[in-house]
């Protein structure tokens, strides 16, 4: 694995900070949320960022689905506070049943 540059390390710290914050909020507000995990290619950041909220079952996922747009806006706002602009916020956060190991 290639070492990250200093800029990419800053991006990584920013993503971890935002992901941890939004995960804590999600666990409080969304019934059945298990965890938040993400994929990112730092050389294509922020366009490649994809956060996933993992839910424990289909029922919890279906119940949370109407809230998806609100959470996408929250992610966009949290990143904007850190100076990162997402062109299309809908592409960067999804709700899923799959875990990071899948």
């Amino acid at each position: 694995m290639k070492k990250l540059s200093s800029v990419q390390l800053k991006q990584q710290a920013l993503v971890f900070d935002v992901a941890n914050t939004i995960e804590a909020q999600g666990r409080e507000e969304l019934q059945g949320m298990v965890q938040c995990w993400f994929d990112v290619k730092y050389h294509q950041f922020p366009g490649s960022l994809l956060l996933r909220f993992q839910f424990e079952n289909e029922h919890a996922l279906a119940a949370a689905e109407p809230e998806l747009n609100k959470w996408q806006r929250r992610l966009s706002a949290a990143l904007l506070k850190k100076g990162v602009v997402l062109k299309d916020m809908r592409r960067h956060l999804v709700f899923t049943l799959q875990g990071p190991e899948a």
Side-chain angles (χ1 to χ4, degrees):
M1 183 176 195
K2 190 175 156 186
K3 256 182 97 172
L4 296 177
S5 70
S6 62
V7 170
Q8 290 169 330
L9 288 171
K10 287 179 185 176
Q11 292 169 341
Q12 184 182 49
L14 181 145
V15 171
F16 274 117
D17 183 44
V18 169
N20 287 334
T21 301
I22 205 165
E23 178 180 28
Q25 293 172 350
R27 285 179 185 241
E28 284 180 23
E29 297 180 33
L30 295 170
Q31 190 73 22
M33 183 183 155
V34 176
Q35 67 180 340
C36 171
W37 56 283
F38 65 88
D39 288 325
V40 66
K41 294 180 179 87
Y42 292 104
H43 63 281
Q44 295 175 338
F45 182 81
S48 66
L49 177 64
L50 177 58
L51 266 75
R52 294 175 178 91
F53 278 16
Q54 180 185 349
F55 289 86
E56 60 189 25
N57 57 43
E58 192 68 45
H59 178 71
L61 178 64
E65 204 65 43
E67 301 286 314
L68 178 59
N69 196 290
K70 175 177 93 172
W71 287 94
Q72 290 168 335
R73 284 194 307 270
R74 278 191 186 185
L75 172 63
S76 182
L79 287 170
L80 188 58
K81 285 181 184 177
K82 303 274 186 182
V84 178
V85 177
L86 297 177
K87 290 183 182 176
D88 182 5
M89 66 183 178
R90 292 179 306 248
R91 292 184 34 222
H92 299 282
L93 177 71
V94 296
F95 289 172
T96 184
L97 293 175
Q98 295 179 329
E101 63 283 338

